[in-house]
């Protein structure tokens, strides 16, 4: 049997798209999954507290969750993953569109029929001896205008408990599936059955997974199939697989956007309120930005989302955004009382920590949590650790999973049905050189150009070479479910529809380094100084210098009071280095060259203008 439960898309120019609809389709899919994966039992998840308690107790007994000290970390647990299952696996993530061209040059494409066959073989018997949980969930508040329903089947109780935090999971989501309601099917197995083909029992481990991993998406039929991993975006299928890869395809067809963006509401000392959406690549500071504690008086930041935004043009012509998630799956290392006290408060309780270190008192620790490490710890792999060990105590991609409503700065309307109207869009990345602290796009096309040309030094959020510079357009390189160049065209089209209501667009870089490799900009709470300039730009209260790469603040435009910054450092952050940018423009030309024939003409023109303007810029 192959996992082709739904009518396959028709080949040819008018592909049939859309997922399954209704309860009957759900029940027959669950039956098919049972026949295929052969679990011992099926549990329909209702989302109740009793259910959470029961699954938690089972996991603690199995050694898969370690309870933390009830005083220090109430209701919280530590999970240690398999050391080979610690981050997203981009080279094992596939877009199985009917036509290869629809996946575009930046995605791994697989023929859908061939992938169905492979998945059918892998999933066959994969859940033997385990429980298959059926997990209904809503992305976005139930009943919201662009909320979407999904159902994940999984043999991982860790995924169930995490999805309970990250989404609106359970009976209400199931009840929302009416006779004709579309829902996204997401099939997941860790790929480690407890019964061999010959019937012999196989041993279980605290973190089951498989050396072979496959994260597959079928955009036309809105299906997700994930095999072999229990970690993060590989396994919490509601998150990247659904809310970004599949949702981006839906959004393109239906005229909205699914983006890798945080959302925040900012109130200025004058009492004016603005909403900001910001795209940064993985582990580049979205959570910290969304929870920013302003270092300047009078400012207030309220958190709406830290990772994913769904945005749509509203009836008033403006761009409205929701956070489709209900929790944070945040990077632990680098998060501490000085850098992000709001995140620290959010994870005070009811949190699942994964791959952090354990203190002798039963609390958690990671690099950056306190200035000095404790004298002894148990590291993320369960081994004794001291500061002399010479290796990180926490995995660099260790994460906390906490409910959004535990965040002390959560906005009172973070879960309103319609979302919030966006005033400014910010693009960022990790750039040791070239990209200035902040610049503003001249217009929407220039803003799309900024988004399309984000480059960033790679982080531990994905398997791969950490520190290597790569283009990560719109911070969506690993998350766009269709051709990236079509994504840019879609952005240009949305801008056309928004017209004069379009948000203004900015680019920031907190990660500029000096010759000794130290960060030039203090970052974190001081990023409010950049938001201050952005808000004054929105309010037409401050000027800017025109440059080939956008509008730049002049030194006196920025509030730098009280910062210990040398003149050279300020100049580095605020001025354009023509030589650096001429080579940047060459890299952009190569980057655009990958999309041959499909690059939107306005972006090609924008690049030529950049090259022309830089040619005689001294
Ligand atoms: P994903 O969840 O992977 O999509 O990442 P994210 O963008 O939400 O990343 P997060 O905010 O968790 O930041 C990850 C790392 O960036 C942490 O180690 C932070 O310490 C660091 N970071 C965040 N903001 C700043 C900043 O302003 N300056 C510097 N130097 N580092 C920062
Ligand atoms: C990211 O890598 O951008 C994340 C973490 O937000 S994961 O959910 O694992 O993709
Ligand atoms: Mn992310």
């Amino acid at each position: 049997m192959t996992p082709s439960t739904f009518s396959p898309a028709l080949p040819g120019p008018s592909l049939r798209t859309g997922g399954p609809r209704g309860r009957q389709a759900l029940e027959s899919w669950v039956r098919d999954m049972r026949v295929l994966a052969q679990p011992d039992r099926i549990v329909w998840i209702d989302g109740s507290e009793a259910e959470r308690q029961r699954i938690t107790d089972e996991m603690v007994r199995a050694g898969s969750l370690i309870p933390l000290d009830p005083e220090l970390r109430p209701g919280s647990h530590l999970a240690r993953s398999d050391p080979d299952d610690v981050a997203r696996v981009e080279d094992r993530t596939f877009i199985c569109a009917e036509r290869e061209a629809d996946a575009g040059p930046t995605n791994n494409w697989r023929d859908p029929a061939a992938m169905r066959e492979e998945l059918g073989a892998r999933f066959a018997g994969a859940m033997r001896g385990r429980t298959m949980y059926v997990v209904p969930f809503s992305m976005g508040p139930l009943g919201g205008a662009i909320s979407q329903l999904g159902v994940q089947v999984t043999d991982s109780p860790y995924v169930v408990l995490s999805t309970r935090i990250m989404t609106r999971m359970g009976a209400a989501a199931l009840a929302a599936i009416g006779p004709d309601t579309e829902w996204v099917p997401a099939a997941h197995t860790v790929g480690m059955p407890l019964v061999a083909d010959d019937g012999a029992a196989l041993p279980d481990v605290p973190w089951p997974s498989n050396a072979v991993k496959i994260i597959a998406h079928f955009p036309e039929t809105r299906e997700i199939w994930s095999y072999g991993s229990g970690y993060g975006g590989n396994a919490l299928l509601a998150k990247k697989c659904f809310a970004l890869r599949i949702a981006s395809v839906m959004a393109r067809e239906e005229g909205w956007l699914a983006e890798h963006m945080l959302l925040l509401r900012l109130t200025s000392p004058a009492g004016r309120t603005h909403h900001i959406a910001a795209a940064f690549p993985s582990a580049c500071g979205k959570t910290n930005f969304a929870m920013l504690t302003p270092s300047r008086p009078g400012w207030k930041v309220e958190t709406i989302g830290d990772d994913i935004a769904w945005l749509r043009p509203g009836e008033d012509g403006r761009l409205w955004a929701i956070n489709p998630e209900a929790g944070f799956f945040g990077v632990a290392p680098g998060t501490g009382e000085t850098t992000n006290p709001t995140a620290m408060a959010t994870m005070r309780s009811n949190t699942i920590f994964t791959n952090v270190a354990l203190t002798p008192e039963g609390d958690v620790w990671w690099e950056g949590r306190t200035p000095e490490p404790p004298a002894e710890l148990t590291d993320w792999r369960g081994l004794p650790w001291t500061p002399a060990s010479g290796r990180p105590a926490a995995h660099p991609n260790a994460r906390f999973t906490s409910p959004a409503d535990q965040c002390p700065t959560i906005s009172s309307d973070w879960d309103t049905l319609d979302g919030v109207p966006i005033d400014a869009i910010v693009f960022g990345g990790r750039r040791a050189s070239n990209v200035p602290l902040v610049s503003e796009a001249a217009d929407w096309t220039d803003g799309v150009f900024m988004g399309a040309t984000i480059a960033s030094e790679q982080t531990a959020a994905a398997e791969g070479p950490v520190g290597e510079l790569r283009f990560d357009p719109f911070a969506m390189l690993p998350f766009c479910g269709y051709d990236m160049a079509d994504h840019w065209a879609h952005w240009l089209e949305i801008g056309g529809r928004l017209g004069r209501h379009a948000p203004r667009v900015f680019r920031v870089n907190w990660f500029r380094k000096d010759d000794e490799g130290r960060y030039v900009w203090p970052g974190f709470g001081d990023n409010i100084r950049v938001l201050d300039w952005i808000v004054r730009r929105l309010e037409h209260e401050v000027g800017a210098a025109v440059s080939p790469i956008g509008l730049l603040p002049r030194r006196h435009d920025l509030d730098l009071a009280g910062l210990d910054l040398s003149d050279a450092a300020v100049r580095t952050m605020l001025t354009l280095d023509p030589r650096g940018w001429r080579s940047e423009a060459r890299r952009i030309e190569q980057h655009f060259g990958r999309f041959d024939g499909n690059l939107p003409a306005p972006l090609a023109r924008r690049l030529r203008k950049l090259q022309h303007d830089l040619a005689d810029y001294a």
Side-chain angles (χ1 to χ4, degrees):
M1 134 150 214
T2 64
S4 118
T5 313
F6 308 111
S7 46
L10 303 166
S14 57
L15 292 172
R16 191 154 98 232
T17 59
R21 291 174 178 274
R23 274 296 268 278
Q24 267 188 343
L26 172 57
E27 272 150 35
S28 88
W29 177 64
V30 170
R31 268 197 305 276
D32 288 352
M33 288 309 304
R34 161 179 245 165
V35 170
L36 178 63
Q38 302 159 34
D40 269 11
R41 65 197 83 78
I42 294 189
V43 171
W44 287 72
I45 287 296
D46 63 19
S48 66
E49 172 56 25
E51 175 188 79
R52 187 195 68 80
Q53 194 61 60
R54 181 172 51 75
I55 294 173
T56 303
D57 291 346
E58 286 168 11
M59 288 187 72
V60 169
R61 272 200 301 278
S64 300
L65 282 182
I66 300 166
L68 296 170
D69 182 82
E71 306 266 298
L72 298 170
R73 245 1 110 165
S76 301
H77 296 83
L78 167 63
R80 294 191 188 120
S81 82
D82 186 285
D84 291 326
D85 191 20
V86 293
R88 283 182 295 99
V89 284
E90 293 181 1
D91 61 343
R92 301 295 302 163
T93 299
F94 304 99
I95 302 296
C96 308
E98 291 290 332
R99 294 182 303 210
E100 181 168 4
D102 287 341
T106 58
N107 279 312
N108 298 315
W109 177 81
R110 283 289 165 88
D111 172 63
M115 180 55 93
R116 284 183 192 286
E117 204 165 306
E118 176 164 9
L119 287 167
R122 296 264 177 215
F123 268 75
M127 296 187 189
R128 274 187 212 140
R130 297 195 185 276
T131 300
M132 182 170 91
Y133 302 94
V134 182
V135 186
F137 60 87
S138 174
M139 299 312 284
L142 277 150
I146 52 172
S147 295
Q148 301 277 349
L149 297 163
V151 182
Q152 177 166 351
V153 294
T154 178
D155 53 5
S156 163
Y158 169 88
V159 165
V160 176
L161 296 182
S162 301
T163 303
R164 186 173 192 272
I165 296 172
M166 296 304 297
T167 75
R168 285 96 173 158
M169 177 191 88
L174 182 62
I177 299 179
D180 195 42
T181 313
E182 192 173 337
W183 52 276
V184 167
H188 173 244
T189 176
V190 294
M192 196 186 223
L194 297 174
V195 182
D197 285 342
D198 64 5
L202 298 168
D204 205 356
V205 294
W207 184 282
S209 60
N210 193 297
V212 174
K213 297 176 176 57
I214 303 171
I215 323 295
H217 307 72
F218 297 82
E220 285 93 0
T221 48
R222 316 283 199 239
E223 288 165 82
I224 302 159
W225 290 80
S226 167
Y227 177 87
S229 169
Y231 202 88
N234 295 336
L236 312 177
L237 304 185
K239 196 171 176 56
K240 305 299 185 173
C241 299
F242 181 175
L244 288 176
R245 297 194 192 96
I246 294 293
S248 65
V249 172
M250 295 175 163
R252 179 191 180 205
E253 290 174 15
E254 297 165 10
W256 49 284
L257 298 163
E259 299 294 329
H260 194 202
M261 288 179 166
L262 68 93
L263 293 170
L264 64 83
R265 185 221 304 268
L266 181 63
T267 307
S268 71
R272 279 197 287 265
T273 291
H274 294 95
H275 293 100
I276 294 178
F280 296 65
S282 301
C284 288
K286 286 184 302 299
T287 304
N288 286 275
F289 198 18
M291 299 180 183
L292 187 149
T293 305
S295 66
R296 305 299 288 152
W299 290 92
K300 184 171 165 195
V301 170
E302 290 167 81
T303 310
I304 298 170
D306 83 327
D307 196 49
I308 298 176
W310 287 355
L311 311 98
R312 71 182 199 294
E315 273 159 27
D316 62 354
R318 306 178 70 190
L319 188 63
W320 289 71
I322 65 163
N323 167 15
E325 300 190 278
F328 307 121
F329 181 62
V331 178
T335 309
E337 291 299 341
T338 50
T339 55
N340 193 342
T342 305
M344 294 309 297
T346 304
M347 60 176 101
R348 250 290 291 159
S349 59
N350 308 318
T351 292
I352 302 172
F353 295 90
T354 309
N355 288 346
V356 303
L358 181 66
T359 73
E361 298 78 35
D363 200 1
V364 286
W365 195 85
W366 47 81
E367 282 66 25
R369 165 148 148 52
T370 54
E372 294 301 325
E376 50 175 16
L377 291 168
T378 306
D379 78 2
W380 67 276
R381 284 177 301 184
L383 303 172
W385 184 96
T386 72
S389 293
R391 58 174 200 273
H395 186 277
N397 192 38
R399 301 250 170 184
F400 60 90
T401 309
S402 303
D405 58 13
Q406 286 189 189
C407 175
T409 57
I410 198 79
S411 166
S412 57
D413 59 2
W414 74 279
D415 60 354
T416 56
L417 296 185
D418 289 331
V420 296
I422 298 301
D423 300 290
I425 291 172
V426 177
F427 294 116
R430 270 178 200 267
R431 290 302 300 271
S433 64
N434 266 14
V435 177
L437 179 64
V438 58
S439 54
E440 181 183 348
D443 54 28
W444 184 264
T445 303
D446 195 24
V448 173
F449 182 78
M450 281 183 178
T453 58
I454 296 178
S456 191
E457 288 132 24
Q458 273 180 253
T459 66
E463 299 282 1
V466 171
E468 202 165 277
L469 188 66
R470 70 169 182 184
F471 282 99
D472 189 347
F474 286 79
M476 285 286 279
L477 181 70
F479 306 123
C480 189
Y482 59 101
D483 188 326
M484 186 62 80
D486 291 337
H487 181 243
W488 304 338
H490 184 49
W491 267 80
L492 291 168
E493 195 182 301
I494 295 265
R497 270 168 62 196
L498 295 169
R500 65 186 178 85
H501 293 296
R504 303 257 288 275
V505 182
F506 298 82
R507 171 174 54 203
V508 301
N509 177 22
W510 316 142
F511 299 94
R512 198 72 183 247
K513 287 187 178 163
D514 64 16
D515 296 340
E516 267 93 67
R518 290 171 307 216
Y519 289 119
V520 176
W521 179 247
F524 302 104
D526 282 313
N527 293 332
I528 194 68
R529 298 166 189 268
V530 171
L531 285 173
D532 167 85
W533 184 74
I534 289 174
V535 164
R536 283 184 291 129
R537 289 294 301 162
L538 296 177
E539 300 278 340
H540 307 285
E541 288 173 0
V542 65
V546 177
S547 92
I549 60 166
L551 303 161
L552 292 164
R554 295 150 302 183
R555 189 197 169 109
H556 61 269
D557 293 328
L558 282 179
D559 170 10
L560 301 178
L563 289 183
D564 182 23
L565 288 172
S566 69
D567 285 348
V570 175
R571 218 171 313 116
T572 306
M573 286 187 307
L574 299 187
T575 49
L576 179 170
D577 165 21
R579 275 216 3 239
W581 270 93
R582 281 193 279 270
S583 62
E584 182 99 17
R586 281 192 294 277
R587 284 197 299 272
I588 293 173
E589 190 171 352
Q590 285 170 8
H591 162 56
F592 279 180
R594 293 184 72 187
F595 302 91
D596 75 317
N598 207 20
L599 180 72
L603 298 186
R605 280 198 297 275
R606 179 65 189 84
L607 173 60
R608 281 198 298 277
K609 180 169 168 12
L610 176 68
Q611 287 165 326
H612 175 267
D613 293 351
L614 285 169
D616 39 45
Y617 191 90

